[in-house]
Amino acid sequence: MFHRTIAVTGALFAATIAGAQTTDMPFALDWKFEGPAAPYFAAIDRGFFEDEGLNVSIEAGSGSVDVIPKVATGAFPVGFGDINSLIKFLDQNPDAPVKAAMMIYDKPAFAIVGRKSQGVEAPKDLEGRVLGAPPPDGAWAQFPAFASANDLDVDSITVEPVGFPTREPMLAEGEVDAITGFSFSSVLNLKRLGVPEDDISNILMADHGLDLYGNAILINTDYAAENPELIEGFLRAVAMGWEDVRENPEAGIDSLMERNPAADAALETERLQMSMDQNVFTEWVKENGLGVIDPARMDSALAQLAETYEFQTEPDASLYFTDEYLPEGGFDVE
């Protein structure tokens, strides 16, 4: 639970804007309305955004590469996307007014998901086998650094380009031995296709040598400079939304289902829980706070990105991430 001081600060701030006209703030997600989006809908339904003077609307997305320009152009003042994609975007567009302002996925969901029955349980098992990977996939983009960290003989791995819709079905049918993807998406998609849970191996790259961070709240820096109190309030409400679904995931999924009634509530509850356990509320976050980053780890992450990406300018974390809209030390969790 967040410390009382943060809740009180938010309440006092909310009191100062009580009765004031709310500000519209469209928020661009990176993906569909699935379990990990529940905290943002919960923040709407519980009044966390409203208490900060914000009228937040949420738009589904089709990947981080799609979200970043939306925020950079100012079409959306805030978004949710992969910081590694942002780093590359800013290296190529150094004047673009967009930065990450709150880390959500302390561990990225990048994973190799395999079938134990097809011999894939650990990174080294990929050698001599077929790996299905959609070319635009974020996890596939990190595979070279993952392979380097695990000393894989990449020449012995047959990489099969696959589409996003066919990725899990091909693994379920045994046409490939493993796939790249987001852990909480691919694992649950396989279960939905009838693959037994005890036959699925979830090899999280962050647990096997990758220091990369994952998805973060992105801000348009021009908008933030002109409206710092609105950005601070937005981040506060986001933190409260995550804590709310952590304490009551079923209520969060109820909020999600109102926006996506065709979803499978049980499946999305499991997807949400996986994201919280593996990616958001990590041991590091519990000790150091939600939203902030470890500078030494970020330096290591930038070095790993440089293994497969040629930076045009010297990489510097301050170019991509700012903590100026967060409380000192981030949002405390227990």
Side-chain angles (χ1 to χ4, degrees), residues 143-177:
F143 183 77
F146 171 80
S148 175
N150 290 276
D151 193 28
L152 299 185
D153 178 7
V154 293
D155 291 336
S156 72
I157 302 171
T158 301
V159 178
E160 180 76 24
V162 300
F164 286 115
T166 59
R167 171 174 51 187
E168 288 86 11
M170 287 181 70
L171 181 56
E173 292 297 324
E175 297 176 35
V176 296
D177 301 309

Side-chain angles (χ1 to χ4, degrees), residues 66-212:
D66 174 56
V67 171
I68 294 167
K70 289 179 180 178
V71 179
T73 60
F76 289 78
V78 286
F80 182 64
D82 171 43
I83 194 169
N84 305 291
S85 299
L86 175 69
I87 289 167
K88 295 175 183 178
F89 177 86
L90 284 171
D91 184 58
Q92 297 162 23
N93 303 275
D95 297 325
V98 57
K99 275 188 181 181
M102 180 182 182
M103 186 56 61
I104 300 297
Y105 292 165
D106 177 58
K107 283 186 178 182
F110 304 137
I112 302 296
V113 179
R115 296 279 300 277
K116 296 177 183 178
S117 60
Q118 290 171 228
V120 178
E121 295 190 49
K124 274 289 187 181
D125 295 335
L126 292 172
E127 295 178 350
R129 292 187 167 83
V130 180
L131 176 67
D137 179 45
W140 168 242
Q142 316 312 326
F143 183 77
F146 171 80
S148 175
N150 290 276
D151 193 28
L152 299 185
D153 178 7
V154 293
D155 291 336
S156 72
I157 302 171
T158 301
V159 178
E160 180 76 24
V162 300
F164 286 115
T166 59
R167 171 174 51 187
E168 288 86 11
M170 287 181 70
L171 181 56
E173 292 297 324
E175 297 176 35
V176 296
D177 301 309
I179 56 176
T180 64
F182 264 33
S183 57
F184 51 70
S185 291
S186 291
V187 168
L188 295 182
N189 288 344
L190 286 171
K191 289 178 66 175
R192 186 172 54 191
L193 290 168
V195 178
E197 184 172 7
D198 60 5
D199 188 30
I200 301 172
S201 55
N202 181 21
I203 305 169
L204 203 64
M205 292 184 179
D207 291 336
H208 293 84
L210 245 62
D211 286 332
L212 305 183

Side-chain angles (χ1 to χ4, degrees), residues 21-316:
Q21 185 175 0
T22 57
T23 299
D24 290 340
M25 187 171 285
F27 176 43
L29 284 183
D30 65 327
W31 197 237
K32 306 169 187 176
F33 292 171
E34 295 182 338
Y40 312 113
F41 294 119
I44 291 175
D45 292 347
R46 310 296 178 271
F48 301 149
F49 287 127
E50 184 179 7
D51 287 346
E52 300 289 351
L54 300 172
N55 177 34
V56 172
S57 56
I58 301 177
E59 180 175 295
S62 56
S64 292
V65 175
D66 174 56
V67 171
I68 294 167
K70 289 179 180 178
V71 179
T73 60
F76 289 78
V78 286
F80 182 64
D82 171 43
I83 194 169
N84 305 291
S85 299
L86 175 69
I87 289 167
K88 295 175 183 178
F89 177 86
L90 284 171
D91 184 58
Q92 297 162 23
N93 303 275
D95 297 325
V98 57
K99 275 188 181 181
M102 180 182 182
M103 186 56 61
I104 300 297
Y105 292 165
D106 177 58
K107 283 186 178 182
F110 304 137
I112 302 296
V113 179
R115 296 279 300 277
K116 296 177 183 178
S117 60
Q118 290 171 228
V120 178
E121 295 190 49
K124 274 289 187 181
D125 295 335
L126 292 172
E127 295 178 350
R129 292 187 167 83
V130 180
L131 176 67
D137 179 45
W140 168 242
Q142 316 312 326
F143 183 77
F146 171 80
S148 175
N150 290 276
D151 193 28
L152 299 185
D153 178 7
V154 293
D155 291 336
S156 72
I157 302 171
T158 301
V159 178
E160 180 76 24
V162 300
F164 286 115
T166 59
R167 171 174 51 187
E168 288 86 11
M170 287 181 70
L171 181 56
E173 292 297 324
E175 297 176 35
V176 296
D177 301 309
I179 56 176
T180 64
F182 264 33
S183 57
F184 51 70
S185 291
S186 291
V187 168
L188 295 182
N189 288 344
L190 286 171
K191 289 178 66 175
R192 186 172 54 191
L193 290 168
V195 178
E197 184 172 7
D198 60 5
D199 188 30
I200 301 172
S201 55
N202 181 21
I203 305 169
L204 203 64
M205 292 184 179
D207 291 336
H208 293 84
L210 245 62
D211 286 332
L212 305 183
Y213 281 95
N215 282 32
I217 299 296
L218 312 181
I219 58 170
N220 180 282
T221 52
D222 290 341
Y223 181 93
E226 295 173 2
N227 304 279
E229 71 289 346
L230 295 182
I231 295 298
E232 290 170 4
F234 180 85
L235 299 184
R236 238 185 337 260
V238 165
M240 293 177 70
W242 274 102
E243 184 65 15
D244 190 77
V245 299
R246 184 184 180 205
E247 294 179 356
N248 190 349
E250 290 78 13
I253 293 301
D254 286 344
S255 291
L256 174 74
M257 295 297 294
E258 287 185 20
R259 280 79 177 186
N260 184 10
D264 181 324
L267 191 73
E268 297 311 328
T269 300
E270 190 172 358
R271 198 189 310 273
L272 170 62
Q273 194 64 54
M274 282 184 69
S275 71
M276 291 193 290
D277 293 343
Q278 296 182 7
N279 312 114
V280 181
F281 295 108
T282 64
E283 290 305 313
W284 191 91
V285 166
K286 292 174 185 176
E287 294 176 7
N288 296 278
L290 175 67
V292 294
I293 62 172
D294 173 15
R297 177 182 159 193
M298 179 57 84
D299 288 342
S300 176
L302 291 173
Q304 287 184 330
L305 283 176
E307 291 181 26
T308 56
Y309 174 79
E310 185 176 351
F311 280 92
Q312 298 180 15
T313 57
E314 186 68 22
D316 182 340

